[in-house]
Amino acid sequence: MESLLTLSTGLPLAALCAIALPFLLWFTYSRITFGLLLVLATFFMEVVYVEFPGYWVGIYLYPGDLVFTFLSAVAVARAAFAKDVPGRSTVWLLFGAVIALSFVLGLQHFGKAAGTDFRNYFYVWTTVLYFSSFRLDEARVTQIIKTWLFFTALLLGLALLRWVAEYLNLPIVSSWRGTGPEADYRVVPSNAALFFVDSFLILTYILTTRAAKRWVWLSVPVLLAAIVVLQHRSVWIAAAAGLVAMYVAFPGRVRKQLAQYSVAAAFLVGAPAVVLTAYGKLDTLMNAVSTSVASATDLERGTAGGRIYGWKQLLSQMAPADYVIGKPFGSGYERYEFPNVRWKATWDPHNFYIQTLLRGGLIGLGLLLAVYFFTMRRLLSDTDVSGKLFLPPRLMFVLLVTQLAYMAAYRFAYEQAIWLGLAISIVAAMRKLSREAAKRKLSLAVRGRSGPAVGLPNRLARR
C-alpha cells in the first residue's frame, strides 16, 4: 500500500518536473534574476527550517543539493557557450580543480563523509561561477539589489515573528533557540545577520547620494538595530570592517556624508540608550550584549578561546605534505576545543581559511586569497567615487571586505558567493573596457588627431 501511494504521488511529480525542466533551464541560463531567486529562496528556506530535512536515498539528499547541482550544470554551460560572458576567472577555475581533486580523493578514502564535507564548497564554487558569467548593466543590477532587499525584508519579518514567540515563550522557540544566556536573541543564524549587513551597507551608500528616498532613511537604523540585537559577534566585526572600508574606499562626498551620519547616529541612539538604561528599561538587552562581549574576549574559557585552541590542534595534526595539498574531504575535524575536557568537537573549525588550508593546502588557500586580492585591487582602480544610485565597483570592494572578516569565524556562506561572482564579472568588464580604451588611444595616435575617431562599443558594465 505504501509503495502504491509513493508511485501515485511520485510519478505525477516526476512527470511535472520533466515537463518544467527545459523551461527552468532556459530561464536560469538566460536570466540572472531567475538564478538569484533560486539561490536566495534556498537560503531563506534554510533559515526558516533551521535545518533542511534530508531524504535518505543511500545518502542524505537535501533540497540544496538538487538546486546547486542544477545550477552547476547551467553555470558550466554558460561559462563554455554563452556569448555574453564578460570574462572567465582562471584563478577561480583552478581553485575549483584543487577542491575537486581533494573531493575525489576523499571519496576513495572516506566515502560518503567526503560528500558531506564538500557540500558547502560545491555550493560556493557553483554560485560564483554562475554569477560571474553574466554581463551586468544597470537594469540587471537594479533587479539584483531589489531582490536582495526583498529577501532582507522577509528575513527581518521572520526575525520579528520569532522575537514575539520568544517574548510569549511559545513552545516553537526551542526549534531555533541556541544554548547559553545570550542565545535568546539569536533568532536567525549568523549568515542571515550578515545578509542584513550587506543590505545595511548598500542602503548606507545610497544615503550618501542626493536621491535617497524616505524608506531608505527608515531602513538603515532598523537594520543596524537588528544587527546589534541579533548578538552575532563576528557579524558585528564584519559590519565594522565594512563601514571602515567604505570610509577608506570612498573619498569626497561619500566619506563626508558617512562621517556626518555616524556622529548623528551616535547622538540619536546613544542619548536615549543612556536614559533607558538608567531607568532599567534595557537591562535584558544590555546583559545579553555584555555577556556576549565577555564571552568573545575571554581567550581562555570563551568561545573565541575555544576555537583558537581547536585550530591549533587541527594544524598540529597535519603532516608537512598536508600543508601543501591538504587532507582530503571527509578526513574529519576531531579536536578538543578546551583543555581537560573529555568530549571531542567534530564540526568544521569555524574558520574558512583554516578549513581551506586543511582541505586544499597552501595551494587551495593561496588560490582563494588570490581571487579576492586580484578582484579587490581591480575594483579599487575605479576612479568614479562620486556616489550614484547604482552598484559601483568600490561598493563591491566594501562587501568583499565584510566577507573576508566574516570568514575568520565561519564558513563561506553560499549566498555571499553571489557578490564575489558579481565582482568578478564587473572586474572582467572593466578589464575589457580598459583594453578597448587602450586600442582607441593607439588608433588615434597612429591616425593622428585629424583622422576618423574609433568609437567605443556600448559599455559592458555600468557604475
Side-chain angles (χ1 to χ4, degrees), residues 52-69:
F52 255 154
Y55 300 93
W56 180 255
V57 290
I59 60 172
Y60 275 106
L61 192 66
Y62 295 90
D65 299 336
L66 300 177
V67 170
F68 285 96
T69 298

Side-chain angles (χ1 to χ4, degrees), residues 378-462:
R378 184 64 183 176
L379 292 172
L380 277 182
S381 69
D382 179 63
T383 57
D384 185 1
V385 293
S386 59
K388 299 178 181 178
L389 283 177
F390 196 68
L391 192 62
R394 286 175 178 253
L395 184 55
M396 295 297 300
F397 170 86
V398 172
L399 297 180
L400 295 188
V401 167
T402 66
Q403 291 181 9
L404 291 173
Y406 178 80
M407 288 190 294
Y410 290 100
R411 67 174 62 177
F412 190 3
Y414 64 79
E415 67 279 359
Q416 290 294 319
I418 293 170
W419 297 119
L420 179 57
L422 295 176
I424 291 173
S425 173
I426 291 174
V427 164
M430 291 172 64
R431 189 179 295 114
K432 187 171 183 178
L433 285 172
S434 296
R435 289 197 297 266
E436 291 170 347
K439 288 180 181 178
R440 181 173 180 268
K441 289 181 179 180
L442 179 61
S443 178
L444 287 173
V446 170
R447 297 188 182 198
R449 291 291 178 182
S450 59
V454 180
L456 278 173
N458 292 333
R459 283 181 174 268
L460 299 178
R462 301 280 302 279

Side-chain angles (χ1 to χ4, degrees), residues 6 37 53 62 94 123 161 291 354 409 434 456-457:
T6 302
L37 285 171
Y62 295 90
L94 289 174
Y123 290 4
L161 288 174
T291 302
I354 289 180
S434 296
L456 278 173

